[in-house]
Structure formats: structure tokens, C-alpha cells
Amino acid sequence: MIYFDNSATTKVAPEVLQTYDTVSQKIWGNPSSLHNFGENAWNLLEQARQQIAKLMGVKPSEIIFTSGGSEGDNWVIKGTAMAKHRFGKHIITTSVEHAAVHNPMEQLRELGFDITYLPVDREGRINPADVKTAIRPDTILVSIMAVNNEIGTIQPIKEVGEILKDYPNIHYMVDAVQAIGKGIDDLVFSDRVDFATFSGHKFHAPRGTGFVYMKSGRKLAPLVAGGGQERTMRSGTENTPGDVAMARAIRLVKENETTTVKREQAIKERIYDHLSQFDHVKLISGRDQGFAPHVLCFAIPGVRGETIVHAFEDKGIYISTTSACSSKKHAEAGTLAAMKVPEEVATSAVRISLGDQNTLEEADQFNQVFDELYAGFQKIID
């Protein structure tokens, strides 16, 4: 089996699973309990927070544990709206965000907020100047993803941050779910970014884990109210084994990040260069440094994306139709529509997403299988 769908989810690393199991079995007290058993759990949770903060170059108090990317995105967006609605109801985002950002924005729009969706160019990238043009006196939040989950475009996070230095009261959020372990932490944690969201299952941690970076001094209204956990920011009994396992997963990813990024880029380029030889293949992702090393989107116009996915699946290779979160809805990809990609190409688009376990040998196998399948697809195309 060749697994090329790591942007959808990753396999839990054996070491991470071992950590989860050990903590579940031996330190299962409630971190909020006053007794020694609860205190042990609390101490372990705080060690995990400190480890993540150190690896990310931020303060432990700036790490808030969540259940994943969707919760983090919803919290920052709605928490900002709740905390700052008296000062304004205007929000700026892009036309290529993940549904975990786009849908909360639409919920707020129905409640009377004004949402500006920035256009993108042919590579799916916004123009920072458009951010400045869109800012109004009542703007309270700018939300821009770091890496597009469908085609891998890296957005100009730092450039937007430079613009926002002149607007210190506007919250600046980055959806960094696809960015961790890809060599761009300096972009995600640039000094003007106020919030960044992360999801554990994207980097070999258990599902249901994640965290939000929340810069000191910034304020959000809680999305989940209750027992006051996570400094009242995110109530609910803490997922101690999951969060401790996630901390270990991040450490493992960061230890091998440089090597992994180089290998992923090499794999991507080998497949990209092979696909570029075919007249009926449309390469949507780029291979340069403006794109993440692990995502490659392409299409064979005239062949539906799900047909391509299942054809590869029959050969033991797993890819997806753009975002896994929307692939079963048979909807045209939001990113491709925003890029004004023709419908025939958009409905044919598929995504390869690489991980640290993939190899160049797998790339060669993929290319060989592609040749076989393409010969069959020619009958559909012609």
C-alpha cells in the first residue's frame, strides 16, 4: 500500500501511541482534581504544554489545548466576534479557506457581520495589497490560511503581518493546520500573528487533539463555557493522554523536519516532472518554493476525480479528490472555483499529499501505475 493522503489524516506514530496508552493506563486522574492523582495528571499536561511552546518558540501560557483544527478555527473567529462586536462587525478572509473557516464566517454573516472574501490569482494566492484596501475602521479580524489544503499554496502571511502592524487592534489569525513540520514556522509565528490553529491528526498525533496559539495580551470570548479549564478559555475535562501524545508527536516531527521537507519536495518534483510529460494532464499545484512541499494537485480533464481516485485505489495507492472534508459531497472544490479553474478541470482534480514516511521509490511506483492508468483513461478522453 502507498498512502498519499496525508493532508486528510496521518497514521498515529507508534511512539505516540505508546505514550497515549501509558498515560491512559497510569495517569488517568482528572487534572482539575485537588488530590495527588489529579495533580500528577495536571503536571504532566503542563509539561506537554511547555514542550510544545518550546518547540514552537512561544510561551507556555500562549498554548491552549483544543480538539483540533475545526474547533480552533471556530473559536478564534467566533470568539473574536463575541469579544469585539462592539468595536466593529467587519472581517477579512480569503476565498480559498478551509470549510472550518469559511462556514463560521457565513454563520457570522447571517448574524449581521460583514465578511470580505479576498480574491486569489491563478496560483491560489492573495495579494497583500488587497488586505490593506479592504481594511475599514470597523474591521476586527483578518483570517488567512498558511498553506492551502487543496493545492498547497503558501499565502503571504508575513507581508500581511507587516500591513497589520499599522492596525494593532485588528486580530490576525492563521489557520496553520497544513503548515506544521513543513519548514515554515517562521512564517506562521511571525511577530504580528495573534492566533494560529493546529490539528494533531495532521502530524501523527491521535484524532481529537489540537491547540491554538494565542498571543499574550490578546482576548477571545470562550466558545465552550463550563468548568473553567485552560484558563477559562476552553472548558471541558482535559484530554491528558491525547495532549501529552500530541506533544511527543510534535517533538518527533520537529526533530526530522529538515530531512522530511527535502524528501517530500524531492518526491513531489519526481511525480510533478513525470506528469508534466502528458498532454492531457493539468498540473494545478506549482513545484517552486511558493508551494508547500507535500501537496500536489493535478487533473486529467474528461475523467472525474473520483474515477481517478478509485483507479489508483485498485492498485493499492491512496490519493483523494482535493479536500477529504468535502470529497464525498461531490462539490466543486472551493479553491479551484476561486481560482476560476474551468469546471471540467475542477471536477477532475485529485490531490497527492505526502508525509514523512513516503519515499522516492513510492514516487516511482506511482509514476509507473499512472502510465498504466493513463493509457486506459485515453479511451475516455478521446
Side-chain angles (χ1 to χ4, degrees):
M1 181 188 82
I2 296 177
Y3 185 73
F4 279 173
D5 196 19
N6 291 275
S7 286
T9 196
T10 58
K11 181 181 179 181
V12 179
E15 306 95 320
V16 174
L17 189 59
Q18 181 182 32
T19 296
Y20 184 93
D21 184 62
T22 299
V23 175
S24 296
Q25 295 295 326
K26 296 184 177 180
I27 311 176
W28 43 267
N30 189 321
S32 298
S33 296
L34 295 177
H35 50 64
N36 186 61
F37 202 41
E39 185 176 353
N40 289 340
W42 186 86
N43 287 335
L44 193 61
L45 190 68
E46 292 309 302
Q47 289 174 22
R49 195 189 313 275
Q50 291 169 15
Q51 184 177 88
I52 292 172
K54 183 177 180 179
L55 290 167
M56 296 297 175
V58 301
K59 302 173 185 176
S61 60
E62 295 176 323
I63 300 296
I64 308 295
F65 292 123
T66 67
S67 65
S70 292
E71 181 190 337
D73 289 339
N74 273 263
W75 174 35
V76 176
I77 294 166
K78 296 175 182 177
T80 294
M82 293 167 67
K84 297 175 72 70
H85 67 91
R86 290 171 294 177
F87 305 103
K89 290 188 174 183
H90 179 235
I91 298 174
I92 300 169
T93 188
T94 82
S95 56
V96 294
E97 296 296 309
H98 189 277
V101 170
H102 177 81
N103 290 349
M105 294 289 183
E106 285 299 290
Q107 287 182 313
L108 290 179
R109 186 178 62 81
E110 293 176 0
L111 293 174
F113 285 78
D114 189 7
I115 314 297
T116 296
Y117 292 101
L118 301 175
V120 295
D121 61 19
R122 289 182 297 178
E123 293 188 336
R125 190 173 292 109
I126 65 165
N127 185 341
D130 289 342
V131 175
K132 187 169 185 177
T133 300
I135 292 174
R136 308 186 325 206
D138 60 337
T139 302
I140 58 174
L141 172 66
V142 172
S143 177
I144 299 174
M145 68 187 344
V147 175
N148 183 268
N149 55 296
E150 295 179 16
I151 67 170
T153 307
I154 298 175
Q155 296 294 347
I157 302 299
K158 278 191 173 182
E159 292 86 341
V160 172
E162 288 299 313
I163 292 170
L164 291 178
K165 286 181 179 179
D166 293 332
Y167 305 90
N169 293 325
I170 296 176
H171 281 181
Y172 184 23
M173 164 190 159
V174 173
D175 179 336
V177 167
Q178 293 290 341
I180 196 163
K182 306 307 174 184
I184 56 174
D185 280 357
D186 62 329
L187 181 153
V188 174
F189 291 104
S190 59
D191 57 0
R192 182 56 183 86
V193 173
D194 299 312
F195 306 94
T197 59
F198 299 85
S199 185
H201 77 102
K202 304 295 187 180
F203 50 87
H204 305 295
R207 291 173 176 82
T209 62
F211 65 97
V212 168
Y213 160 69
M214 177 179 177
K215 181 185 288 184
S216 296
R218 287 306 197 185
K219 297 185 182 300
L220 290 176
L223 189 63
V224 181
Q229 291 86 353
E230 294 298 293
R231 306 198 326 272
T232 73
M233 289 290 96
R234 199 274 188 181
S235 292
T237 301
E238 300 91 338
N239 180 7
T240 307
D243 293 335
V244 174
M246 178 174 61
R248 186 168 190 184
I250 293 176
R251 179 166 60 82
L252 293 173
V253 166
K254 300 301 291 181
E255 285 176 353
N256 303 301
E257 184 170 17
T258 301
T259 301
T260 296
V261 169
K262 289 180 179 178
R263 184 168 65 250
E264 289 177 349
Q265 185 67 32
I267 296 170
K268 176 180 176 178
E269 290 178 2
R270 184 163 297 186
I271 296 174
Y272 186 101
D273 291 344
H274 185 76
L275 295 179
S276 66
Q277 302 175 56
F278 295 85
D279 293 337
H280 287 99
V281 172
K282 172 67 175 177
L283 287 157
I284 300 170
S285 300
R287 73 192 294 275
D288 59 37
Q289 296 304 308
F291 292 83
H294 66 299
V295 179
L296 174 55
C297 181
F298 70 92
I300 307 174
V303 185
R304 292 194 64 85
E306 55 264 33
T307 300
I308 300 172
V309 168
H310 291 309
F312 274 101
E313 181 183 5
D314 289 341
K315 300 291 186 178
I317 299 176
Y318 293 87
I319 61 176
S320 70
T321 54
T322 61
S323 173
C325 296
S326 59
S327 61
K328 289 190 175 181
K329 299 179 178 63
H330 303 286
E332 182 180 343
T335 296
L336 302 186
M339 292 167 58
K340 297 181 172 56
V341 172
E343 184 177 357
E344 182 186 28
V345 176
T347 56
S348 173
V350 294
R351 179 189 67 185
I352 295 168
S353 50
L354 307 170
D356 52 13
Q357 83 286 355
N358 293 128
T359 65
L360 283 168
E361 289 74 19
E362 290 179 332
D364 291 336
Q365 292 177 56
F366 176 91
N367 289 341
Q368 181 179 346
V369 169
F370 180 86
D371 292 349
E372 298 172 9
L373 296 178
Y374 186 82
F377 291 149
Q378 284 282 73
K379 300 174 183 177
I380 302 175
I381 297 169
D382 297 337

